[in-house]
């Protein structure tokens, strides 16, 4: 059961979260796992990155994980969410991120992966066309602004050195007015545009801690909701942004622990 607001212990239940993540990885035949098996690659990224932020990546068998990843590879250069499924850009990204955690990017055919562009976009102009009058970004030109999409667009612009396209003050106000449950999407973008000081960090820390399941581990999107791997990762990553003690630093654009980025092929 999640603790109620104002009644949290004031500390992250790190060991409980480690046990929760490891237990989910082992329940491959559960109804939930079978229903979501097509996106298991994303789950691996969420869980493994959380373990790394907590300093517990050594609790998993690296060779076993990498062997499974390579079985998800397609001749096209892309990777699937699990063995037997079609390749997708999102799962391919998760593969690169997980291999970066293990410092094993050398197992990739870099030319095939980097040339596997199913969308055909070659520059940042498509992202710029998705910018709205409120300072945010939509999924397509003309679509409403969304915190998750803003992270994708601002992250891409940050990585490519094009943050000058962002109206930082206007976007900063839009982000600060969003729901605090978006601890990752909002915080990462605020950090990239140097506006994170506009929010109350202590209140957000308390909110994330209140969303923990201190008995069984895991973090939910808000207090009293069911926990899942997705929100466990982004909750812990959000706490890292907020300088919560005992956590590794995470990069807001690459969504990886900063110490894992030394193995990345790109330079910021």
């Amino acid at each position: 059961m999640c603790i109620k607001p104002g009644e949290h212990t004031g500390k992250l239940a790190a060991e409980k979260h480690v046990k929760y993540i490891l237990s989910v990885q082992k329940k491959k035949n559960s109804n939930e796992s079978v229903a979501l098996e097509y996106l298991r690659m994303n789950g691996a990224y969420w869980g493994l990155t959380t373990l790394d932020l907590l300093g517990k990546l050594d609790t998993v068998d690296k060779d076993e994980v990498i062997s499974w990843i390579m079985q998800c590879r397609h001749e096209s250069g892309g990777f699937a969410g699990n063995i037997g499924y079609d390749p997708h850009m999102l799962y391919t990204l998760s593969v690169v991120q997980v291999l970066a955690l293990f410092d094993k990017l050398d197992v990739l055919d870099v030319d095939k992966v980097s040339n596997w562009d199913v969308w055909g976009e070659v520059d940042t102009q498509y992202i710029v066309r998705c910018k709205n009058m409120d300072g945010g970004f939509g999924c397509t030109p003309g679509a409403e602004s969304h915190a998750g999409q803003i992270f994708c667009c601002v992250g891409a612009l940050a990585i490519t050195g094009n943050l000058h396209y962002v109206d930082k003050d206007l976007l900063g106000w839009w982000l600060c007015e969003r729901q605090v449950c978006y601890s990752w999407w909002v915080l990462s973008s605020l950090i990239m545009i140097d506006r994170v000081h506009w929010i109350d960090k202590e209140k957000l820390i308390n909110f994330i801690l209140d969303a923990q399941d201190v008995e069984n581990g895991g973090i939910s999107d808000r207090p009293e909701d069911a926990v899942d791997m997705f929100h466990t990762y982004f909750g812990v990553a959000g706490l890292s942004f907020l300088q919560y003690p005992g956590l590794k630093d995470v990069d807001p654009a690459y969504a990886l622990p900063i110490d894992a980025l030394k193995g990345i092929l790109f330079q910021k």
Side-chain angles (χ1 to χ4, degrees), residues 149-168:
Q149 187 63 25
I150 288 170
F151 159 71
C152 294
C153 292
V154 174
L157 293 174
I159 290 170
T160 57
N162 285 288
L163 280 176
H164 58 277
Y165 286 115
V166 179
D167 185 328
K168 296 181 179 180

Side-chain angles (χ1 to χ4, degrees), residues 12 205 208-209 219 234-244 247:
L12 181 67
I205 287 173
I208 297 172
L209 293 177
I219 301 176
F234 289 120
V236 172
L239 290 173
S240 172
F241 282 149
L242 298 164
Q243 285 97 46
Y244 190 88
L247 299 175

Side-chain angles (χ1 to χ4, degrees), residues 7 16 24 26 31 35-36 64 147 178 191 212 217 268:
E7 297 180 353
K16 294 288 187 179
V24 171
K26 294 176 181 178
N31 290 335
L36 300 175
E64 181 180 346
R178 298 311 104 185
I191 289 171
Q212 297 181 103
K268 292 183 69 174

Side-chain angles (χ1 to χ4, degrees), residues 36-95:
L36 300 175
E37 68 172 5
Y38 66 95
L39 50 71
R40 189 166 290 164
M41 192 66 70
N42 295 148
Y45 158 65
W46 300 327
L48 292 168
T49 308
T50 305
L51 290 176
D52 199 16
L53 291 176
L54 294 169
K56 297 293 184 179
L57 189 59
D58 59 355
T59 58
V60 300
D61 186 327
K62 176 175 70 173
D63 293 333
E64 181 180 346
V65 174
I66 294 174
S67 175
W68 166 70
I69 285 175
M70 299 312 291
Q71 292 179 71
C72 298
R73 180 177 53 181
H74 282 244
E75 282 300 314
S76 62
F79 285 79
N82 205 343
I83 299 170
Y85 287 84
D86 293 331
H88 190 282
M89 187 69 73
L90 182 59
Y91 309 134
T92 303
L93 169 62
S94 289
V95 165

Side-chain angles (χ1 to χ4, degrees), residues 111-157:
D111 289 335
K112 272 195 171 184
V113 173
S114 60
N115 289 320
W116 189 71
D117 180 7
V118 297
W119 302 109
E121 297 298 334
V122 294
D123 57 31
T124 59
Q125 289 308 304
Y126 181 80
I127 297 175
V128 175
R129 292 197 298 272
C130 294
K131 185 169 69 172
N132 293 318
M133 294 181 63
D134 57 14
F137 292 81
C139 295
T140 59
E144 66 177 329
S145 298
H146 181 274
Q149 187 63 25
I150 288 170
F151 159 71
C152 294
C153 292
V154 174
L157 293 174

Side-chain angles (χ1 to χ4, degrees), residues 99-117:
L99 292 176
L101 293 177
F102 291 130
D103 194 21
K104 292 295 292 183
L105 286 170
D106 59 302
V107 303
L108 290 175
D109 184 327
V110 176
D111 289 335
K112 272 195 171 184
V113 173
S114 60
N115 289 320
W116 189 71
D117 180 7

Side-chain angles (χ1 to χ4, degrees), residues 224-240:
E224 304 298 340
D225 279 2
V227 304
D228 58 59
M229 191 80 78
F230 178 82
H231 290 99
T232 299
Y233 166 50
F234 289 120
V236 172
L239 290 173
S240 172

